[in-house]
Amino acid sequence: MAATTTAPLAESPFAQDVDERLPPPSTLVLFGATGDLAARKLLPAVYDLLADGRLPERFRLLAVVRGTLDEASFRTHAREAIDAHARRALDERLWDALAPRIGVVAGQYGSPDLFRELAARLDADDERDGGPTQRLFYLAISPAFFADTARGLDEAGLGRGAEPPTRLLIEKPFGRDLASARELNAAIEESFEERQVFRIDHYLGKETVQNLLVLRFGNGIFEPLWNRTAIDHVQITVAEDIGIGHRAGYYDRAGALRDVIQNHALQLLSLVAMEPPASFDADLVRDEKAKALHAARPLDARTDAVRGQYTAGWLGGERVSGYREEEDVPADSRTETYAAVRVEIDNWRWAGVPFYLRTGKRLPLRTTEIAIAFKPAPHQPFRGLDAPPPPNELVISVQPNEGATLQIAAKMPGTALRMRPVQMDFQYGTSFLRESPEAYERLLHDALLGDATLFTRADEVEAAWQIVDPVLEAWEDPDSGGPEPYEAGTPGPRAADALLAQDGRAWRPL
Amino acid sequence: MSALADADARERSEWRGEDVGVAEVAERLMALNHEHALHEHGHAATRTLNLLVAPGEDVAQPALEQQLAGLADRHPSRTIVVREHAAERLDALVAIDCTIGAGAGSAGHCHDMALLTADAERLAHADSLGRPLRVAGLPTVLWLPGIRASRAQDPLATLALAIVLDSGVASGAALPLAFARAAALDAERVRDVAWLRLRRWRRHVAARFDDPAARGLLGRTKRVELRSCAPQQASALLLAGWIAARAGWRLERLAPAPGGWSGVARRADGGAVELVLGPPEQPDLTGIHGLALHAGAETIALTAPVAAPNPARAFAAALGMFATPTPGYGAALAALLDGLAAT
């Protein structure tokens, strides 16, 4: 055979055949690595990503811990966390591959020495392992330290303009009102560019939430109906059966409106209400979400919002305490454990279509769902019916059973013309054999890839605060009364029912 | 009809018929479903696919049933199994299998199955058996268990969106037959479990050669080594074939060797690349666990840590990916067959 000279290939000849690219070489720096979030979610997510072959060959995890915890002790801690919480059973070979990639930097979060030491360690590890890695800083710490930590990283050369590139991952709460959110955003912006900041709302990592976009924009039948012409109203429910556990310190200062409505519920609303993006590009999607939030009318505490607080009651056959009897909750607390709001979106698509959002603790069951209630048929040709069939409803269940149900009317078998609502059901569990990745797996993987689509941008955060701020302000007024008591195990305060009843509607039963 | 319940909370209702017509089988399936619904077990009939199954003679029915039972939990389907027997007639067994949800509020699910046994002539027209029994509107996938081809394979393939097989069930001298059988089918529709097992390896290889320096080595490579356990030989060969195909090498020889396979590929510049597929360095390791490309003193070595392989998961994943194209598979298979043919 005649020898020929071949030019080097311009790109990987193998890339054309892979369904998913691996992230570039990366170091994940975990602040708060010994905390609850790291143990329950982040360390297991790293392990599950490794088990699924979704981490780059050069991947390291650097735990930033307070005090003097050594590497061996942290690895033991990480192994226990993975064993207890990972989706997949702990496999010794995988653990053997992961353990040497875990390192520790110990120190005090406020100390400049810590950040200098961290920067030196990152460089040394890169040099030892054969090249630079992108650095992701996950702040699984109190939001009170977000700004200082971002500044410390920047001062150590790991923030704006850093090379190798860096990203900052933070999770809500992003402020406690519009003013503090703006302050936090501004402080972070001094140290990191917006494109480097990945704000996590873990609801956006859930499969069904992403499926909402596919349902809307991947199918031809829904979008023509997705507007004020066909839709009567939308209900978004984030119900929890648990109480506040040991989170009284945080929860009593926050309340249900800040804890869930301002972020999770309004993020879901923005996905339901947004216009179709031109493409599934991170900024185009987030532009549309932000526009929807900006179009939402700021709430009026007198007419659009209801609050409640649970009292002792029965749940699942067990007697449970009231909120004010929970550990570390002041006996005269006015914090709401239930919030329901009516949001009006002032644009052509949604004018006159209310979005009802509710969340609460100690409700009868744990469920997160989006219910699209369609308008009834304009004319019923079926004479002699006792009652017209109920309107169609599309219910997207986010948790615990991910799926979607479309309720339609059907004729009951028999000689008489009787109708009954029936459900067309799609359940992830029975339609797809693949287990869904945990939300944190998806979000960590996206952050490693630099895909910000499922992360919240600063302007979205501020727009969401803008909607709820008037209510927060009104409720903080001592003369505004307090939350209406509701018995644990019931669907919430009576005022919540009245909020919909005044519009001639009712909540979906819980 | 019989109703069976066992300790692991499964129920089966079934009907058997000898010398029947396919219309009667369809009626019995429908009747069984109605009867089942009347009992109000509260378990949804769950079907994600029409799964046609054409086992070769090398697949024993009990082993197939065991695989199907395991598959049902992951991918409940309307399953239609077509087998051959000597008698000139069609026999049928239709059944509904239910998994009972454990605990209050948990959902159970049910799926149905028809086992058709027929003579060679009927099998040559097996599409006419499968067509009336499919659930309208569901995608149809053909599964070819075993290595030997069933007479029903080609006619049933005309009904299927995708054809699932596993070259990995073959080893040693049977591997070329398995690859040849896969290549004879429409590569666009084939979902080979042995190829799908390589997903993470392919991602790692693609990522490694994002580096221009690494790509440069492809033009100078003199030796490729792959280490894998014996059950993964088909996957290892496919990985080698894929690397050769995409690197622009032509496989000139590929043959079984002690402990594995060996071969020679030719680079575009005429240089030879020695291929060595050997056993793992540690005997307890499973899967593919090492790939190295050598060019003189330069070496690119890749390892991809993997959990112990789970055959049921791999097969279920292959079924679940029926709608997903598998680019690169056809090229890998063609490269391997070139090497095998030249040997």
Side-chain angles (χ1 to χ4, degrees):
Chain A
M1 180 184 288
T4 55
T5 309
T6 49
L9 298 159
E11 57 184 29
S12 171
F14 306 105
Q16 59 186 306
D17 296 330
V18 292
D19 53 351
E20 188 180 300
R21 299 309 309 273
L22 287 180
S26 308
T27 303
L28 176 64
V29 181
L30 198 50
F31 286 78
T34 53
D36 193 45
L37 179 66
R40 283 187 304 107
K41 299 291 182 187
L42 303 177
L43 293 166
V46 167
Y47 174 81
D48 282 321
L49 285 171
L50 177 72
D52 279 346
R54 290 192 157 80
L55 289 182
E57 202 181 5
R58 275 199 298 126
F59 172 83
R60 289 193 307 271
L61 190 149
L62 199 51
V64 181
V65 298
R66 285 185 177 140
T68 55
L69 191 70
D70 63 17
E71 238 153 45
S73 305
F74 182 74
R75 285 176 185 169
T76 304
H77 166 77
R79 185 190 160 104
E80 286 168 2
I82 289 165
D83 198 21
H85 301 294
R87 209 160 40 87
R88 291 163 176 261
L90 186 72
D91 181 290
E92 289 301 333
R93 278 184 301 154
L94 283 175
W95 172 251
D96 289 347
L98 180 61
R101 304 184 193 188
I102 299 176
V104 165
V105 172
Q108 290 306 315
Y109 286 165
S111 160
D113 291 345
L114 173 70
F115 298 105
R116 278 196 292 272
E117 194 184 328
L118 175 61
R121 172 68 183 267
L122 287 165
D123 289 343
D125 285 352
D126 278 0
E127 198 170 321
R128 183 195 64 213
D129 291 351
T133 56
Q134 61 170 353
R135 288 92 184 252
L136 277 74
F137 304 108
Y138 197 122
L139 308 192
I141 53 177
S142 163
F145 298 112
F146 284 174
D148 287 347
T149 307
R151 190 178 313 115
L153 289 166
D154 188 37
E155 284 169 2
L158 299 168
R160 276 179 170 266
E163 195 54 49
T166 58
R167 293 189 189 113
L168 185 74
L169 280 74
I170 51 177
E171 184 156 0
K172 67 117 182 164
F174 307 120
R176 53 176 286 109
D177 53 24
L178 179 59
S180 58
R182 281 179 172 155
E183 203 176 309
L184 176 66
N185 284 339
I188 286 176
E189 203 186 332
E190 284 176 15
S191 310
F192 284 83
E193 291 172 49
E194 177 61 25
R195 64 176 179 82
Q196 292 176 278
V197 183
F198 285 60
R199 290 177 194 78
I200 291 178
D201 184 323
H202 71 266
Y203 264 55
L204 298 186
K206 290 180 182 293
E207 206 68 61
T208 322
V209 174
Q210 297 157 48
N211 189 44
L212 176 57
L213 295 177
V214 174
L215 189 83
R216 281 193 61 191
F217 306 129
N219 293 292
I221 59 169
F222 292 116
E223 203 48 28
L225 303 175
W226 212 264
N227 54 50
R228 64 192 306 275
T229 309
I231 293 178
D232 179 71
H233 71 282
V234 177
Q235 292 187 19
I236 297 176
T237 300
V238 182
E240 294 180 282
D241 52 359
I242 56 170
I244 54 159
H246 301 293
R247 295 171 67 221
Y250 158 73
Y251 196 88
D252 199 58
R253 291 188 67 241
L257 195 65
R258 284 190 181 92
D259 190 43
V260 175
I261 298 285
Q262 185 275 339
N263 37 74
H264 303 322
L266 283 175
Q267 279 294 313
L268 295 179
L269 175 145
S270 69
L271 291 168
V272 174
M274 68 189 269
E275 294 299 315
S279 76
F280 206 59
D281 167 88
D283 270 326
L284 293 180
V285 170
R286 297 190 298 177
D287 283 349
E288 296 303 340
K289 283 169 62 195
K291 277 191 227 167
L293 291 170
H294 279 299
R297 200 181 300 164
L299 299 172
D300 183 330
R302 292 163 304 174
T303 55
D304 299 330
V306 163
R307 59 180 156 163
Q309 189 185 70
Y310 65 83
T311 59
W314 286 82
L315 248 171
E318 303 284 336
R319 184 164 174 76
V320 296
S321 307
Y323 177 70
R324 292 181 179 185
E325 294 133 38
E326 301 273 18
E327 189 185 329
D328 296 331
V329 173
D332 59 350
S333 172
R334 294 172 67 241
T335 299
E336 81 282 2
T337 61
Y338 178 101
V341 297
R342 175 181 47 209
V343 182
E344 299 277 353
I345 297 179
D346 290 331
N347 63 21
W348 275 52
R349 186 188 282 262
W350 295 115
V353 179
F355 283 63
Y356 301 103
L357 281 50
R358 64 175 161 170
T359 185
K361 298 276 189 192
R362 289 289 190 218
L363 297 180
L365 51 89
R366 171 178 171 256
T367 186
T368 299
E369 64 174 31
I370 301 162
I372 313 292
F374 290 91
K375 289 184 173 167
H379 168 67
Q380 286 292 345
F382 311 108
R383 294 179 193 284
L385 288 180
D386 296 338
N392 304 112
E393 202 166 46
L394 176 66
V395 180
I396 297 148
S397 176
V398 176
Q399 64 181 17
N401 298 314
E402 298 185 323
T405 303
L406 180 63
Q407 182 176 282
I408 56 173
K411 180 188 173 298
M412 290 174 70
T415 49
L417 183 61
R418 291 207 174 88
M419 286 193 248
R420 201 184 77 178
V422 294
Q423 295 189 329
M424 296 170 71
D425 230 1
F426 152 60
Q427 297 288 326
Y428 264 85
T430 53
S431 296
F432 293 104
L433 55 107
R434 258 183 88 169
E435 284 175 68
S436 296
E438 279 287 318
Y440 282 92
E441 278 174 62
R442 171 69 200 249
L443 295 172
L444 265 183
H445 191 246
D446 281 5
L448 286 165
L449 286 168
D451 181 350
T453 310
L454 299 179
F455 296 84
T456 316
R457 218 168 45 189
D459 56 340
E460 289 180 73
V461 172
E462 291 177 16
W465 279 118
Q466 208 148 13
I467 297 167
V468 299
D469 233 28
V471 177
L472 288 171
E473 207 172 298
W475 284 358
E476 270 164 22
D477 181 349
D479 297 332
S480 68
E484 180 187 332
Y486 64 96
E487 198 179 317
T490 65
R494 278 190 300 268
D497 294 333
L499 181 72
L500 270 72
Q502 69 189 5
D503 297 342
R505 300 183 178 102
W507 291 106
R508 281 171 50 77
L510 276 178
Chain B
M1 178 176 298
S2 64
L4 306 169
D6 61 23
D8 63 353
R10 290 177 193 275
E11 261 187 19
R12 164 172 274 209
S13 307
E14 63 181 40
W15 170 88
R16 288 171 190 273
E18 206 175 276
D19 197 10
V20 295
V22 74
E24 186 180 356
V25 178
E27 274 171 26
R28 289 293 181 171
L29 260 177
M30 197 182 294
L32 214 53
N33 272 294
H34 282 166
E35 190 168 331
H36 180 79
L38 282 175
H39 287 155
E40 293 189 349
H41 288 307
H43 306 125
T46 309
R47 302 183 197 105
T48 57
L49 292 174
N50 289 302
L51 179 63
L52 307 177
V53 187
E57 284 172 21
D58 55 323
V59 180
Q61 187 60 21
L64 179 66
E65 278 172 15
Q66 204 174 356
Q67 276 185 287
L68 284 171
L71 182 63
D73 289 340
R74 293 168 174 273
H75 220 73
S77 301
R78 160 73 56 93
T79 305
I80 303 163
V81 183
V82 182
R83 298 202 72 123
E84 185 169 345
H85 64 187
E88 288 186 8
R89 62 167 196 263
L90 173 67
D91 294 348
L93 159 69
V94 299
I96 291 189
D97 288 301
C98 293
T99 301
I100 313 301
S106 61
H109 60 79
C110 301
H111 62 282
D112 44 18
M113 188 271 286
L115 167 62
L116 308 177
T117 319
D119 50 283
E121 191 178 359
R122 282 187 171 84
L123 254 61
H125 302 280
D127 52 328
S128 68
L129 297 175
R131 193 173 277 118
L133 299 180
R134 289 189 298 174
V135 180
L138 281 184
T140 300
V141 171
L142 171 61
W143 173 29
L144 304 176
I147 303 168
R148 290 198 201 154
S150 153
R151 240 181 277 269
Q153 170 182 303
D154 290 340
L156 288 180
T158 62
L159 304 180
L161 280 173
I163 303 163
V164 176
L165 50 82
D166 185 359
S167 303
V169 298
S171 61
L175 265 170
L177 294 176
F179 290 139
R181 178 198 188 195
L185 296 161
D186 173 9
E188 293 289 309
R189 288 191 295 154
V190 172
R191 306 288 176 264
D192 187 340
V193 180
W195 174 255
L196 295 171
R197 281 193 194 103
L198 291 170
R199 285 176 76 202
R200 69 187 60 194
W201 266 102
R202 284 184 277 124
R203 282 184 211 143
H204 277 273
V205 170
R208 189 68 184 84
F209 288 93
D210 279 338
D211 176 7
R215 288 202 294 276
L217 187 126
L218 289 173
R220 305 189 300 278
T221 301
K222 292 186 173 161
R223 181 179 162 91
V224 175
E225 282 177 55
L226 254 167
R227 299 279 165 196
S228 72
C229 66
Q232 300 281 322
Q233 271 190 9
S235 295
L237 281 168
L238 284 166
L239 183 58
W242 178 61
I243 290 171
R246 291 304 184 222
W249 309 337
R250 190 165 50 81
L251 260 173
E252 291 189 343
R253 188 174 65 77
L254 189 62
W261 290 72
S262 70
V264 173
R266 191 68 59 189
R267 298 194 307 261
D269 65 359
V273 182
E274 184 188 7
L275 298 178
V276 179
L277 284 78
E281 282 155 359
Q282 298 167 40
D284 61 325
L285 288 175
T286 54
I288 299 172
H289 60 92
L291 166 67
L293 284 79
H294 304 280
E298 293 174 80
T299 295
I300 288 180
L302 283 103
T303 54
V306 288
N310 177 335
R313 186 190 288 266
F315 182 71
L319 262 189
M321 291 182 64
F322 67 87
T324 310
T326 52
Y329 175 67
L333 205 55
L336 285 181
L337 290 171
D338 279 352
L340 291 165
T343 302

Coordinates of all heavy atoms in Angstrom, one line a residue, chain B residues 245-271:
Chain B
A245 N -12.9 2.5 12.7 CA -13.7 3.1 11.6 C -13.6 4.6 11.7 O -13.4 5.3 10.7 CB -15.2 2.7 11.8
R246 N -13.7 5.2 12.9 CA -13.7 6.7 13.0 C -12.3 7.2 12.9 O -12.2 8.4 12.5 CB -14.4 7.1 14.3 CG -15.9 6.8 14.4 CD -16.6 7.5 13.2 NE -18.1 7.3 13.2 CZ -18.8 7.0 12.2 NH1 -18.3 6.8 11.0 NH2 -20.1 6.9 12.3
A247 N -11.3 6.4 13.2 CA -9.9 7.0 13.1 C -9.5 6.9 11.6 O -8.4 7.4 11.3 CB -9.0 6.2 14.0
G248 N -10.3 6.2 10.8 CA -9.9 6.1 9.4 C -9.0 4.9 9.1 O -8.3 4.9 8.1
W249 N -9.0 3.9 10.0 CA -8.2 2.7 9.8 C -9.1 1.7 9.2 O -10.3 1.6 9.4 CB -7.6 2.2 11.1 CG -6.9 3.2 12.0 CD1 -6.4 4.4 11.6 CD2 -6.8 3.1 13.4 NE1 -5.8 5.0 12.7 CE2 -6.1 4.3 13.8 CE3 -7.1 2.2 14.4 CZ2 -5.7 4.5 15.2 CZ3 -6.8 2.4 15.7 CH2 -6.1 3.6 16.1
R250 N -8.4 0.8 8.4 CA -9.1 -0.3 7.8 C -8.7 -1.6 8.5 O -7.5 -1.9 8.6 CB -8.8 -0.4 6.3 CG -9.7 -1.4 5.5 CD -9.6 -1.1 4.0 NE -8.2 -1.0 3.6 CZ -7.4 -2.1 3.3 NH1 -8.0 -3.3 3.4 NH2 -6.2 -2.0 2.9
L251 N -9.6 -2.4 9.0 CA -9.3 -3.6 9.6 C -8.9 -4.7 8.6 O -9.7 -5.0 7.7 CB -10.5 -4.1 10.5 CG -10.4 -3.8 12.0 CD1 -11.7 -4.2 12.6 CD2 -9.3 -4.6 12.6
E252 N -7.7 -5.2 8.7 CA -7.3 -6.2 7.7 C -7.3 -7.6 8.2 O -7.3 -8.5 7.4 CB -5.8 -5.8 7.3 CG -5.7 -4.6 6.5 CD -4.3 -4.4 5.9 OE1 -3.4 -5.0 6.4 OE2 -4.2 -3.5 5.0
R253 N -7.3 -7.7 9.5 CA -7.4 -9.1 10.1 C -7.9 -9.0 11.5 O -7.6 -8.1 12.2 CB -5.9 -9.7 10.1 CG -5.9 -11.1 10.5 CD -4.5 -11.7 10.4 NE -3.5 -11.0 11.3 CZ -3.5 -11.3 12.6 NH1 -4.3 -12.2 13.1 NH2 -2.6 -10.7 13.3
L254 N -8.7 -10.0 11.8 CA -9.3 -10.1 13.2 C -9.6 -11.5 13.5 O -10.3 -12.1 12.7 CB -10.6 -9.2 13.3 CG -11.2 -9.0 14.7 CD1 -10.2 -8.3 15.6 CD2 -12.4 -8.2 14.6
A255 N -9.0 -12.1 14.5 CA -9.2 -13.5 14.7 C -9.1 -13.8 16.2 O -8.5 -13.0 17.0 CB -8.2 -14.3 14.0
P256 N -9.8 -14.9 16.7 CA -9.6 -15.2 18.1 C -8.2 -15.5 18.4 O -7.4 -16.1 17.6 CB -10.5 -16.5 18.2 CG -11.4 -16.5 17.0 CD -10.7 -15.8 16.0
A257 N -7.8 -15.2 19.6 CA -6.4 -15.4 20.1 C -6.5 -15.9 21.5 O -7.6 -15.8 22.1 CB -5.6 -14.2 20.0
P258 N -5.4 -16.5 22.0 CA -5.5 -17.0 23.4 C -5.9 -15.9 24.3 O -5.3 -14.8 24.3 CB -4.1 -17.5 23.7 CG -3.5 -17.8 22.4 CD -4.2 -16.9 21.4
G259 N -7.0 -16.1 25.1 CA -7.5 -15.1 26.0 C -8.3 -13.9 25.4 O -8.7 -13.0 26.1
G260 N -8.5 -13.9 24.1 CA -9.2 -12.8 23.5 C -9.2 -12.8 22.0 O -9.4 -13.9 21.4
W261 N -8.9 -11.7 21.4 CA -8.8 -11.5 20.0 C -7.6 -10.7 19.6 O -7.1 -9.9 20.4 CB -10.1 -10.8 19.5 CG -11.3 -11.6 19.6 CD1 -12.0 -11.9 20.7 CD2 -12.0 -12.2 18.5 NE1 -13.1 -12.7 20.4 CE2 -13.1 -12.8 19.1 CE3 -11.9 -12.2 17.1 CZ2 -14.1 -13.5 18.3 CZ3 -12.8 -12.9 16.4 CH2 -13.9 -13.6 17.0
S262 N -7.1 -10.9 18.4 CA -6.0 -10.0 17.9 C -6.3 -9.7 16.5 O -7.0 -10.4 15.8 CB -4.7 -10.7 18.1 OG -4.6 -11.8 17.2
G263 N -5.7 -8.6 16.0 CA -5.9 -8.2 14.6 C -5.0 -7.1 14.2 O -4.1 -6.7 15.0
V264 N -5.1 -6.7 13.0 CA -4.2 -5.7 12.4 C -5.1 -4.7 11.6 O -6.0 -5.2 10.9 CB -3.2 -6.3 11.5 CG1 -2.4 -5.1 10.8 CG2 -2.2 -7.1 12.2
A265 N -4.9 -3.5 11.9 CA -5.6 -2.4 11.1 C -4.6 -1.6 10.3 O -3.4 -1.6 10.7 CB -6.4 -1.5 12.0
R266 N -5.0 -1.0 9.3 CA -4.1 -0.2 8.5 C -4.5 1.3 8.5 O -5.6 1.6 8.2 CB -4.1 -0.7 7.0 CG -3.1 -0.1 6.1 CD -1.7 -0.6 6.4 NE -1.5 -2.1 6.3 CZ -0.4 -2.7 6.7 NH1 0.6 -2.1 7.2 NH2 -0.4 -4.0 6.6
R267 N -3.6 2.2 8.9 CA -3.9 3.6 9.0 C -3.9 4.1 7.5 O -3.4 3.5 6.6 CB -2.8 4.3 9.8 CG -2.7 4.0 11.2 CD -1.8 5.0 12.0 NE -0.5 5.2 11.3 CZ 0.6 4.7 11.7 NH1 0.6 3.9 12.7 NH2 1.7 5.0 11.0
A268 N -4.4 5.3 7.4 CA -4.5 5.9 6.0 C -3.1 6.1 5.4 O -3.0 6.1 4.2 CB -5.3 7.3 6.1
D269 N -2.1 6.3 6.3 CA -0.7 6.5 5.8 C 0.0 5.2 5.5 O 1.1 5.2 5.2 CB 0.1 7.4 6.7 CG 0.3 6.7 8.1 OD1 -0.2 5.6 8.2 OD2 1.0 7.3 8.9
G270 N -0.7 4.1 5.7 CA -0.2 2.8 5.4 C 0.4 2.1 6.6 O 0.7 0.9 6.5
G271 N 0.6 2.8 7.7 CA 1.2 2.2 8.8 C 0.2 1.2 9.5 O -1.0 1.3 9.4

